[in-house]
Amino acid sequence: MNALRGIIAVAGFQIRRLLAPQRIALALVGAAFPAAVILAVRRVADLNLDVLALLLYALVPEAVCMLGLLVTMCPVVADELERGTWQHVAVRPGGRRSLLLGTFLAAVAWSSLVALLALALALAAAGLPDSGPLAPMFAVLVLVSCVGRAALFSLPAVIVPKRALVASVAVAFVVEYLAGFLPAVINQLTVSLRLRSLLVRWMGWERKLPPELSLIIDTQPPWVQIVAVVALASVFLFAASIILAGRQFPPAEES
Amino acid sequence: MIDLEHATKLYGTVIGVNDLTVVLGAGAHGLLGPNGAGKTTLLGLVTGQLRPTMGRVMIFGERPFGNPRVLARIGYCPAADLLERGATPREWVSYLVRINGVIAPAAGKAAAMAIDRVGLGEAADRPLMTLSKGMRQRTKLAGAIAHDPDLLVLDEPFVGLDPVARHDLVVLVREWAVHRSLLVASHLLHEIEALDAGLAVILGGRLVASGDVEEIHALVETMPAEIRVESASPRRLAEIACSSGLVDSLRFDGHAGLAIGTRRPRELVAMLGRAAVAEGIVILALSAGDRSLEGVFDRLVQLHRGIGSGSGGPRPPAPAGLAGESLP
């Protein structure tokens, strides 16, 4: 119970930090980005539901979620070190774990909110009358993406706090976009495989896909994909929590 | 309460704390040392932020690193400035108490009490970015005491405080130390002296002396002090000094200077004065080591660094008599 209170306290405090005017402005720009792209596409081509779904997938659960998490989850330790608040939190019982999990919750909540706003704006910009069913589907994809990727980014954030952003971008490319597209067991451990598989399943694209591309999706039911992401996220967070519990930072300034 | 046994902390090849053995009982203790002596590293070990590379650190009979039972009983006020500028002191202190697992309303009350206690009441709801460094320092202190810890650890708590705030803080901390335990690190001796705390002097990551103020004075009395003399006849004075049997070391410093190491500085000075009068030797200047507590501290620093015992002579013995002792 005490641990949960600590996690909630950190989550609330991190969200307050995110509510700074600059952060809100950045989030609004990020949320408007997919709509701007879709408007630009509409000027040169006609949109149909399949094209819109592909665009939304690339822009919202991939791009917006990823960018949102890079600025909220990656600095989980680096920010505290920079603000001189790490020592205050690290000396609290369970403080390190609360910091990690509370920041995870805040990052997921914030990034999901921005991505859902981006989704709403993008759907409005698309102006397709039959695009209504895409909204709940992509809302789930956004949540799954944020949970999985936030947990993934927690690892570089605690292993290399001062290079977390660069390391997380590298992890995103190597794990999500390289290993995730390998038709091998390794791609089972990526969030991108689960997201693609959910998209293909919910859009009914299984039969339209050429056999080569069916190698890079998983044909298990949607609940399996979601459970797999939750399991992956739990493992990533557990590992990050263990690593952070053992981290020692030399005093920046000797008194 | 605090038990370090051959505690050593290495950062790669850099030594933070070096083979430090000390037992500090309940009560107030001051940790003295110049910048870079290893005080913050030692406090990091005590507060469970760092794990010793070698040796053992026990607080309240348990290892503090990653130990929630011990951490719940420690309040820590770091030296580094608080750059959490958006929050108010009330929000910040309440947040820290909530991380300890306290529910929000109780955390709010604890924060309010701590803020009042450090005299920050009127500024409690102003953003930290608008507060002076001294007020942020008080905010840090409020955060350290709000959860009512048994051991309060303060790292350079007086930095940035004006004299009135410094006095208030001394009063507060002294009151605290009546019923609870306190460990204060500082490089300024008078700050520790004002707290009536036991002293532990740390240099180069090693404990070089510990005891109360009088014990440290007594320790220094037994160690060589340096008398510096400027005279028109330094060689004659050197002969007289050497024949007195009071000299541990001696060196000439330029044409007129003479530096004499002695364990009996008062007798030596008196004897030199008598000899100068008797033989008509002109003494241009004569200075003895500073015997104030600040001077004592400087002396310990010099001795640790092998300075001031007379160059060319043997290095004075380390004050091992007190280093590594237990303080009640």
Side-chain angles (χ1 to χ4, degrees), chain A residues 2 5-6 9-10 13 16-17 82-85 87-88 91-93 95-96 245-246 248-251 253-255, chain B residues 9 11 35-36 38-41 49-51 65 68 71 78 83-84 91-92 95 98 100-101 103 143 147 155-156:
Chain A
N2 282 1
R5 287 187 193 129
V10 172
F13 198 77
R16 281 184 62 87
R17 281 176 173 171
E82 200 175 303
R83 291 169 193 256
T85 51
Q87 291 174 308
H88 295 268
V91 297
R92 307 275 153 181
R96 296 168 185 233
Q248 300 175 75
F249 297 100
E253 64 174 88
E254 270 285 2
S255 54
Chain B
K9 182 64 191 173
Y11 303 112
N35 294 333
K39 301 188 298 296
T40 300
T41 297
Q49 296 171 71
L50 301 172
R51 191 165 24 202
F65 189 85
L71 297 184
L83 301 178
E84 179 65 56
E91 288 166 348
W92 173 249
Y95 165 62
R98 289 181 67 197
N100 275 34
I103 57 170
H147 62 291
D155 193 357
E156 302 283 2

Side-chain angles (χ1 to χ4, degrees), chain A residues 47-56 128 130 134 199 203-205 208:
Chain A
L47 277 180
N48 62 36
L49 202 62
D50 284 352
V51 173
L52 177 62
L54 262 182
L55 277 174
L56 283 178
L128 286 184
D130 55 348
L134 293 185
L199 176 72
M203 289 301 294
W205 289 344
K208 296 182 192 170

Side-chain angles (χ1 to χ4, degrees), chain A:
Chain A
M1 196 62 188
N2 282 1
L4 191 61
R5 287 187 193 129
I7 292 166
I8 291 168
V10 172
F13 198 77
Q14 296 286 35
I15 285 174
R16 281 184 62 87
R17 281 176 173 171
L18 289 168
L19 287 173
Q22 302 93 322
R23 294 279 198 147
I24 292 173
L26 196 66
L28 290 177
V29 169
F33 171 65
V37 171
I38 284 172
L39 284 174
V41 170
R42 277 185 67 182
R43 289 171 64 95
V44 294
D46 287 334
L47 277 180
N48 62 36
L49 202 62
D50 284 352
V51 173
L52 177 62
L54 262 182
L55 277 174
L56 283 178
Y57 177 76
L59 292 170
V60 183
E62 292 293 346
V64 174
C65 289
M66 201 79 98
L67 289 173
L69 294 167
L70 283 174
V71 296
T72 52
M73 191 66 210
C74 291
V76 55
V77 177
D79 246 13
E80 304 298 323
L81 291 171
E82 200 175 303
R83 291 169 193 256
T85 51
W86 166 256
Q87 291 174 308
H88 295 268
V89 175
V91 297
R92 307 275 153 181
R96 296 168 185 233
R97 181 190 50 213
S98 297
L99 177 69
L100 179 74
L101 299 182
T103 305
F104 168 78
L105 288 182
V108 169
W110 181 260
S111 302
S112 300
L113 203 68
V114 173
L116 290 175
L117 178 62
L119 177 64
L121 292 174
L123 284 172
L128 286 184
D130 55 348
S131 64
L134 293 185
M137 189 182 102
F138 273 94
V140 175
L141 288 179
V142 160
L143 288 175
V144 170
S145 173
C146 285
V147 168
R149 265 74 181 261
L152 177 65
F153 290 160
S154 70
L155 284 169
V158 300
I159 295 170
V160 280
K162 290 181 179 169
R163 301 277 182 277
L165 197 63
V166 175
S168 295
V169 171
V171 164
F173 275 100
V174 173
V175 176
E176 288 293 291
Y177 301 126
L178 189 62
F181 280 89
L182 286 177
V185 177
I186 185 98
N187 77 359
Q188 300 286 320
L189 302 176
T190 64
V191 178
S192 65
L193 172 78
R194 308 296 168 186
L195 291 175
R196 278 197 310 275
S197 303
L198 285 171
L199 176 72
V200 167
R201 179 72 173 246
W202 285 336
M203 289 301 294
W205 289 344
E206 298 102 319
R207 290 181 191 163
K208 296 182 192 170
L209 280 182
E212 306 81 43
L213 285 184
S214 65
L215 290 173
I216 57 167
I217 62 155
D218 187 276
T219 53
Q220 309 246 32
W223 71 267
V224 173
Q225 312 300 342
I226 293 170
V227 167
V229 171
V230 172
L232 273 177
S234 304
V235 170
F236 292 152
L237 284 174
F238 179 72
S241 181
I242 297 289
I243 293 167
L244 189 59
R247 285 306 307 255
Q248 300 175 75
F249 297 100
E253 64 174 88
E254 270 285 2
S255 54

Side-chain angles (χ1 to χ4, degrees), chain B:
Chain B
M1 181 184 68
I2 298 173
D3 182 359
L4 284 84
E5 192 178 320
H6 300 294
T8 300
K9 182 64 191 173
L10 302 173
Y11 303 112
T13 56
V14 177
I15 298 175
V17 166
N18 189 0
D19 193 27
L20 203 149
T21 297
V22 68
V23 178
L24 303 178
H29 303 284
L31 189 61
L32 273 172
N35 294 333
K39 301 188 298 296
T40 300
T41 297
L42 180 55
L43 297 191
L45 291 170
V46 168
T47 55
Q49 296 171 71
L50 301 172
R51 191 165 24 202
T53 312
M54 285 177 277
R56 198 182 62 156
V57 176
M58 304 292 273
I59 310 296
F60 301 121
E62 296 185 67
R63 292 174 202 274
F65 189 85
N67 186 336
R69 282 187 304 277
V70 175
L71 297 184
R73 299 177 65 186
I74 295 176
Y76 180 48
C77 178
D81 194 8
L82 183 59
L83 301 178
E84 179 65 56
R85 301 294 173 87
T88 66
R90 192 185 302 282
E91 288 166 348
W92 173 249
V93 176
S94 177
Y95 165 62
L96 291 179
V97 179
R98 289 181 67 197
I99 294 180
N100 275 34
V102 178
I103 57 170
K109 279 183 190 166
M113 283 173 65
I115 285 169
D116 281 344
R117 202 165 176 188
V118 300
L120 204 58
E122 289 174 10
D125 296 308
R126 281 170 49 192
L128 281 164
M129 67 167 70
T130 65
L131 301 183
S132 66
K133 189 175 180 190
M135 285 179 166
R136 291 200 300 275
Q137 190 73 14
R138 290 176 191 222
T139 304
K140 290 195 301 183
L141 183 64
I145 63 173
H147 62 291
D148 209 19
D150 294 322
L151 168 63
L152 181 60
V153 180
L154 309 176
D155 193 357
E156 302 283 2
F158 302 100
V159 171
L161 297 185
D162 58 53
V164 175
R166 195 174 287 226
H167 172 263
D168 292 348
L169 186 57
V170 165
V171 171
L172 171 73
V173 171
R174 283 176 72 159
E175 280 174 11
W176 176 275
V178 172
H179 302 295
R180 313 283 173 86
S181 295
L182 176 72
L183 179 61
V184 182
S186 176
H187 65 283
L188 296 175
L189 198 51
H190 63 87
E191 291 179 348
I192 304 291
E193 208 175 2
L195 295 174
D196 287 339
L199 290 173
V201 182
I202 181 171
L203 291 164
R206 302 187 80 115
L207 186 74
V208 293
S210 62
D212 59 27
V213 171
E214 285 72 29
E215 284 174 321
I216 298 288
H217 270 298
L219 168 70
V220 172
E221 289 292 339
T222 66
M223 293 188 294
E226 189 173 78
I227 308 291
R228 301 182 68 82
V229 188
E230 279 186 42
S231 166
S233 314
R235 295 185 184 281
R236 177 60 192 142
L237 269 184
E239 278 177 36
I240 295 167
C242 287
S243 63
S244 70
L246 298 172
V247 174
D248 286 330
S249 65
L250 187 145
R251 75 173 192 278
F252 291 101
D253 189 6
H255 275 302
L258 186 61
I260 308 170
T262 178
R263 289 167 201 272
R264 292 151 69 186
R266 286 165 208 261
E267 292 170 48
L268 181 67
V269 168
M271 188 277 294
L272 287 177
R274 285 194 302 273
V277 171
E279 300 200 17
I281 299 171
V282 177
I283 292 181
L284 302 168
L286 189 148
S287 61
D290 183 0
R291 308 308 272 181
S292 69
L293 206 46
E294 201 72 51
V296 169
F297 180 50
D298 290 344
R299 187 79 192 120
L300 283 168
V301 173
Q302 286 181 351
L303 286 167
H304 178 75
R305 292 173 177 165
I307 304 167
S309 57
S311 63
R315 186 178 164 152
L322 281 174
E325 276 192 353
S326 299
L327 296 182

